[in-house]
Amino acid sequence: MSNIQTSIGLILDTFSKYAGKEGDKTTLTKGELKELLQSELGELLGKANDKEAVDRIFQGLDSNKDNSVDFSEFMQMIGCLSVMCHEYFTKKQ
């Protein structure tokens, strides 16, 4: 598989690893999102243990206000983080 295919597979696997622990397997609850942030992005985000920060991230991602984060909403976060990392690393060169 190509690097992009591998990356997509890893993102799908990571979402599935956390989604459904508290209910629907196609969405993340606030608790599931918090666990994902702490385990997978804790070093990058630094505020994954801050309840208010997690609340703000969850509310920002839950664009349809159904009190869950679906895969499309989750991918908006992944895309945004990827753009921010790209900008950071291209400015360091």
Side-chain angles (χ1 to χ4, degrees), residues 20-79:
K21 288 184 173 187
E22 298 176 3
D24 188 345
K25 292 181 180 183
T26 63
T27 62
L28 296 166
T29 64
K30 190 181 295 184
E32 291 165 344
L33 178 66
K34 179 180 180 181
E35 184 180 351
L36 184 151
L37 292 172
Q38 287 173 332
S39 298
E40 305 291 337
L41 296 168
E43 290 180 23
L44 180 64
L45 295 179
K47 294 191 180 235
N49 289 319
D50 180 345
K51 183 184 178 333
E52 289 180 19
V54 172
D55 287 346
R56 284 192 306 274
I57 292 169
F58 185 83
Q59 289 172 1
L61 292 176
D62 184 16
S63 60
N64 63 0
K65 304 304 179 207
D66 66 351
N67 208 31
S68 64
V69 173
D70 64 26
F71 187 74
S72 179
E73 292 166 329
F74 171 73
M75 283 306 298
Q76 291 177 22
M77 178 184 72
I78 297 301

Side-chain angles (χ1 to χ4, degrees), residues 1-20:
M1 286 199 319
S2 71
N3 288 340
I4 297 251
Q5 290 170 325
T6 300
S7 297
I8 291 169
L10 289 170
I11 290 170
L12 290 167
D13 288 346
T14 300
F15 182 85
S16 295
K17 178 179 174 180
Y18 296 94

